Amino acid sequence: MGKGEESDKITINVGGTRHETYKSTLRTLPGTRLAWLADPDAQSNFDFDGKSNEFFFDRHPGIFSYVLNYYRTGKLHCPADICGPLFEEELTYWGIDETDVEPCCWMTYRQHRDAEEALDIFESPEPGGGAGGEEPEEEGGREMALQRLGMDDRPPGVAGAAGGSGCCRNWQPRMWALFEDPYSSKAARVVAFASLFFILVSITTFCLETHEAFNINVNVTETLVVGNTTTILLTHKVETEPILTYIEGVCVLWFTLEFLVRIICCPDKLLFVKNLLNIIDFVAILPFYLEVGLSGLSSKAARDVLGFLRVVRFVRILRIFKLTRHFVGLRVLGHTLRASTNEFLLLIIFLALGVLIFATMIYYAERIGAKTSDPRGSDQTHFKNIPIGFWWAVVTMTTLGYGDMYPKTWSGMVVGALCALAGVLTIAMPVPVIVNNFGMYYSLAMAKQKLPKKKKKHIPRPAPLDSPTYCKSEENSPRNSTQSDTCPLAVEEGLAERKRSG
């Protein structure tokens, strides 16, 4: 009995750490790399030391403990102190499917992918990995900058890989970077500061136009002809100081120039049109030109259109969102709101349920003890009907409390107290998730901003596919494997290596 157990034992040395287990344990996951160690010809196909009677793998020893424990217990857990990509790479090497990770560790395992996706959103301030926003001097750095801007996504060596050929190939990506990426060069910084200046001036002008000091009362005389009767009407019209109109015109000229350059030089016109910020740019510019074009017309239809355009001019305030191109914090806020959509929907649903319940309760609670002369309770309460109670419930649950509506009976006060407590609890539940999302995006954005220049990356040369230290060879693969006969691990890693080198 003891001799049989001794023959079934196997010793595996991973990165200098020795592990002992049984071959029957390794056979629990057929088709994986460790399962092939239980084959009779495993010693000739892997790195086997006859003196110490052990197999050697130059891999991460800490992660292998979790891998081996998966064979023993059937449960794959993820270490909290190991970087996610490293654990994922080790699972791929040992031939274990990542979907076997236990539910308790799945979110920990997925964190690195979420971080990588978030990091891709925030562009590095150094083009091509350069430092301090300087121009990349090497051709390779220039190509990396073009690829980051989306202007060189075709295979190298193809004519017009950057959106054109000859002169067009050189100036188009430079103009795009000049107006789109404030960190691409010193000139791009100057353009960014100019754009920021005009945005602030335009918003300031928009606000000053509503001040009484910049509004002029103008008497307008209109001649109205009805049949043979001519009537002269004297009306008053409020006009804005001309100086503010001139300032707004200069700002619109700059925004128009910026918009035209960006749409002409953008690498993907369709993607440019779909961008929300670009739509805001166009909507904010168009009313000014329509207003200037229709100002010389005296027809009633033209005046109606002008009145509508003056109302639509409020979209100019949306230019404030263009600051997200220059301030990382605003971009973090936007991505946080986008990532927290489910939490916001949950909050709205909770509030809607609470408003409906407490508006109904306060309506009937205020009618308890009503006077017999006023059975509807209209004289002694602010809550004439349930729809009016919706407003009170919203104000109370959000802890705003205008005081325009309040309960007057003891039963109504009890309902009001419960409504306030329920509102505090309802709002407090989704808020921590939103705060955590903001903290994650902000930390990743700061890490991307401070990312140092990468040196020459070390890529270890993999062993040949037919090497015994790499995996089982095609000739010696067992026929009873649950996967393929040609070592699927070697085939998959060979394909990945060819893609990486290509």
Side-chain angles (χ1 to χ4, degrees):
M1 186 71 176
K3 187 176 181 180
E5 290 180 355
E6 188 67 26
S7 62
D8 190 41
K9 282 186 178 180
I10 184 173
T11 303
I12 306 172
N13 188 330
V14 179
T17 304
R18 300 176 73 253
H19 301 266
E20 290 187 0
T21 184
Y22 294 101
K23 294 181 180 180
S24 57
T25 302
L26 302 181
R27 293 191 184 99
T28 56
L29 293 176
T32 59
R33 193 180 298 270
L34 289 180
W36 290 325
L37 296 181
D39 295 340
D41 57 348
Q43 297 181 2
S44 60
N45 296 326
F46 291 91
D47 188 358
F48 180 76
D49 188 354
K51 296 182 179 179
S52 58
N53 196 26
E54 64 184 20
F55 292 93
F56 178 77
F57 292 92
D58 193 14
R59 306 298 298 185
H60 195 287
I63 297 179
F64 182 75
S65 301
Y66 291 87
V67 173
L68 187 58
N69 187 66
Y70 177 44
Y71 284 81
R72 292 167 174 164
T73 63
K75 296 182 179 181
L76 180 60
H77 294 277
C78 178
D81 57 341
I82 298 295
C83 187
L86 178 59
F87 188 72
E88 183 180 1
E89 183 180 351
E90 290 298 307
L91 290 183
T92 303
Y93 177 81
W94 297 111
I96 298 177
D97 191 357
E98 63 175 8
T99 58
D100 295 336
V101 176
E102 290 298 304
C104 59
C105 297
W106 179 250
M107 294 305 298
T108 304
Y109 174 75
R110 283 283 305 179
Q111 280 181 355
H112 72 281
R113 293 186 181 175
D114 297 337
E116 289 174 353
E117 294 174 358
L119 282 172
D120 291 338
I121 298 174
F122 303 100
E123 296 178 354
S124 175
E126 295 83 14
E134 299 178 356
E135 291 284 357
E137 297 180 357
E138 299 181 0
E139 183 65 22
R142 179 178 178 277
E143 295 298 328
M144 291 179 63
L146 294 178
Q147 291 178 3
R148 184 168 58 86
L149 293 171
M151 300 298 299
D152 195 12
D153 53 356
R154 298 188 214 178
V158 179
S165 59
C167 178
C168 181
R169 184 178 184 273
N170 292 325
W171 69 261
Q172 186 174 351
R174 291 180 182 274
M175 293 299 294
W176 171 254
L178 185 66
F179 283 86
E180 181 67 19
D181 190 357
Y183 301 100
S184 60
S185 63
K186 293 181 179 179
R189 277 203 193 91
V190 174
V191 173
F193 279 117
S195 179
L196 178 62
F197 171 77
F198 283 110
I199 290 173
L200 296 179
V201 170
S202 176
I203 294 174
T204 304
T205 304
F206 172 76
C207 297
L208 291 179
E209 286 179 356
T210 60
H211 197 276
E212 296 83 359
F214 296 94
N215 293 329
I216 305 174
N217 292 324
V218 180
N219 295 327
V220 180
T221 302
E222 295 183 4
T223 302
L224 181 62
V225 180
V226 180
N228 296 327
T229 305
T230 302
T231 306
I232 299 177
L233 299 177
L234 182 63
T235 60
H236 299 278
K237 185 174 66 173
V238 179
E239 292 185 352
T240 307
E241 282 282 356
I243 183 63
L244 295 182
T245 304
Y246 297 147
I247 294 176
E248 176 63 18
V250 174
C251 295
V252 170
L253 288 177
W254 168 263
F255 295 138
T256 304
L257 173 64
E258 183 184 25
F259 184 81
L260 291 177
V261 171
R262 292 175 64 242
I263 195 173
I264 292 173
C265 300
C266 70
D268 191 339
K269 300 292 191 297
L270 183 60
L271 190 62
F272 182 89
V273 173
K274 290 181 178 180
N275 189 282
L276 180 60
L277 293 179
N278 298 329
I279 297 176
I280 292 175
D281 284 349
F282 179 76
V283 174
I285 292 172
L286 185 61
F288 180 83
Y289 289 105
L290 293 178
E291 189 173 347
V292 172
L294 297 174
S295 59
L297 302 178
S298 58
S299 63
K300 185 178 184 302
R303 290 196 301 270
D304 293 341
V305 174
L306 282 174
F308 174 74
L309 290 177
R310 289 190 178 96
V311 176
V312 178
R313 287 165 69 181
F314 77 92
V315 298
R316 288 158 50 189
I317 200 65
L318 298 179
R319 287 180 182 147
I320 195 68
F321 291 107
K322 294 178 63 176
L323 297 179
T324 57
R325 190 180 298 121
H326 310 288
F327 297 101
V328 178
L330 294 178
R331 296 169 61 189
V332 170
L333 179 61
H335 292 301
T336 301
L337 296 178
R338 187 182 308 170
S340 306
T341 304
N342 294 333
E343 287 74 23
F344 282 115
L345 292 177
L346 188 64
L347 178 61
I348 292 174
I349 292 174
F350 285 167
L351 285 177
L353 291 176
V355 166
L356 180 61
I357 292 173
F358 287 106
T360 304
M361 292 177 63
I362 195 67
Y363 173 77
Y364 288 104
E366 282 290 273
R367 273 147 186 78
I368 296 179
K371 298 179 181 178
T372 55
S373 58
D374 185 21
R376 295 177 60 88
S378 300
D379 297 335
Q380 68 174 17
T381 180
H382 297 288
F383 305 96
K384 311 298 182 183
N385 49 60
I386 293 179
I388 291 179
F390 290 163
W391 166 252
W392 169 85
V394 170
V395 172
T396 304
M397 293 190 70
T398 55
T399 67
L400 192 57
Y402 282 123
D404 55 343
M405 299 174 63
Y406 54 90
K408 295 182 178 180
T409 62
W410 64 268
S411 56
M413 294 178 184
V414 172
V415 174
L418 294 176
C419 181
L421 292 175
V424 172
L425 296 177
T426 300
I427 297 176
M429 284 188 289
V431 167
V433 180
I434 301 174
V435 173
N436 290 336
N437 289 338
F438 181 85
M440 181 192 70
Y441 278 107
Y442 186 78
S443 61
L444 292 175
M446 291 299 101
K448 192 75 173 180
Q449 290 286 319
K450 299 178 181 179
L451 193 65
K453 181 179 179 180
K454 292 184 179 180
K455 299 180 180 179
K456 186 177 180 181
K457 187 177 181 180
H458 167 66
I459 302 178
R461 183 180 297 276
L465 297 183
D466 56 352
S467 172
T469 63
Y470 187 83
C471 190
K472 297 179 72 65
S473 63
E474 182 177 349
E475 297 81 4
N476 298 327
S477 295
R479 292 291 175 180
N480 58 352
S481 174
T482 59
Q483 299 185 13
S484 66
D485 298 332
T486 59
C487 183
L489 298 179
V491 174
E492 291 179 3
E493 294 186 10
L495 291 175
E497 182 60 30
R498 281 194 290 271
K499 290 181 180 179
R500 189 185 308 144
S501 61

